[in-house]
Amino acid sequence: DAGITQSPRHKVTETGTPVTLRCHQTENHRYMYWYRQDPGHGLRLIHYSYGVKDTDKGEVSDGYSVSRSKTEDFLLTLESATSSQTSVYFCAITGGQGQPQHFGDGTRLSIL
Amino acid sequence: SQQGEEDPQALSIQEGENATMNCSYKTSINNLQWYRQNSGRGLVHLILIRSNEREKHSGRLRVTLDTSKKSSSLLITASRAADTASYFCATDKRDDKIIFGKGTRLHILP
């Protein structure tokens, strides 16, 4: 399996609190992605990174920010969590365009 | 949007039978990929087929691509209980992103 770790795996928090999810890879891949998965919507791209300090928005980026200060770590932050952000969040990595993505096992986030 | 859409949404078959899932998309693509997701886990890449290819095989998996119809199919032969999972197609153009469909839930009955 590709070396990709998400933390935490589960989190419950309250509306209005900040939340940071971490994705760590040991593959030295250039590209890293954050998705959310919700019933009836499949996987939707939140943000992605194509290099250190290089990030771009995805389909559902409102309410989320990301940072990538080093190759191996990609952080997803919810500045002020809302109940609509309750979801399962997946991180994925790939070495380049047109190549398969490798996924972490997800973070189940509940916003009460 | 070039999002792929899988059909059917859910499929139940007897163990040993073949399972076929379809994916349709809207605009031209660079390649198409199929992924599997077991309950509670991340997606696992199964197979990638490029726009200039028509068919690829990997073990019990057979993928076809018809760019004129903007559609792909995934065939799993001689299904097993371990094949119970959700299956997603994903399409990309020549950029950094791929777009996933909503998936087909496959249940293999004993």
Side-chain angles (χ1 to χ4, degrees):
Chain A
D1 289 344
I4 178 169
T5 305
Q6 292 185 231
S7 59
R9 292 295 315 279
H10 303 272
K11 186 173 183 65
V12 180
T13 191
E14 295 182 347
T15 300
T17 60
V19 178
T20 296
L21 308 183
R22 180 181 184 235
C23 178
H24 179 77
Q25 60 141 334
T26 58
E27 304 297 317
N28 200 36
H29 280 339
R30 177 182 175 189
Y31 293 88
M32 300 185 76
Y33 303 81
W34 277 109
Y35 296 91
R36 60 178 290 175
Q37 186 175 33
D38 304 287
H41 291 279
L43 267 78
R44 293 181 291 175
L45 181 65
I46 304 171
H47 282 281
Y48 71 100
S49 170
Y50 47 96
V52 174
K53 299 191 189 307
D54 293 323
T55 65
D56 205 351
K57 297 179 180 180
E59 179 187 1
V60 290
S61 59
D62 288 348
Y64 302 94
S65 62
V66 290
S67 66
R68 191 169 179 199
S69 59
K70 46 187 178 178
T71 300
E72 57 266 36
D73 289 327
F74 192 33
L75 304 180
L76 176 70
T77 298
L78 292 65
E79 299 290 348
S80 177
T82 67
S83 59
S84 65
Q85 293 175 311
T86 291
S87 186
V88 181
Y89 291 84
F90 287 98
C91 177
I93 62 175
T94 186
Q97 293 180 10
Q99 296 184 21
Q101 293 191 4
H102 304 283
F103 282 77
D105 278 337
T107 294
R108 186 172 296 275
L109 178 63
S110 296
I111 314 293
L112 305 178
Chain B
S1 170
Q2 63 174 28
Q3 182 184 40
E5 293 192 6
E6 293 89 347
D7 172 64
Q9 291 186 339
L11 177 63
S12 293
I13 61 172
Q14 295 291 332
E15 191 168 12
E17 294 181 339
N18 296 341
T20 299
M21 287 157 274
N22 302 296
C23 172
S24 60
Y25 56 92
K26 298 178 181 177
T27 62
S28 62
I29 60 172
N30 187 38
N31 62 55
L32 185 144
Q33 303 179 44
W34 284 93
Y35 289 79
R36 183 188 75 235
Q37 184 181 31
N38 293 96
S39 180
R41 303 298 300 275
L43 277 70
V44 174
H45 180 260
L46 295 176
I47 200 164
L48 181 152
I49 186 166
R50 303 200 182 281
S51 60
N52 61 354
E53 297 176 311
R54 291 298 168 257
E55 185 171 315
K56 285 191 80 170
H57 296 257
S58 177
R60 295 184 295 112
L61 305 181
R62 172 179 170 251
V63 168
T64 61
L65 179 64
D66 187 334
T67 54
S68 67
K69 295 181 179 179
K70 292 185 172 59
S71 67
S72 174
S73 67
L74 170 66
L75 169 67
I76 303 174
T77 61
S79 63
R80 306 167 179 169
D83 295 328
T84 292
S86 292
Y87 292 82
F88 296 86
C89 69
T91 56
D92 75 81
K93 296 181 180 179
R94 291 174 180 83
D95 61 15
D96 301 336
K97 304 184 292 291
I98 66 175
I99 307 297
F100 288 87
K102 297 178 182 179
T104 291
R105 296 187 308 278
L106 175 64
H107 188 197
I108 308 301
L109 304 169

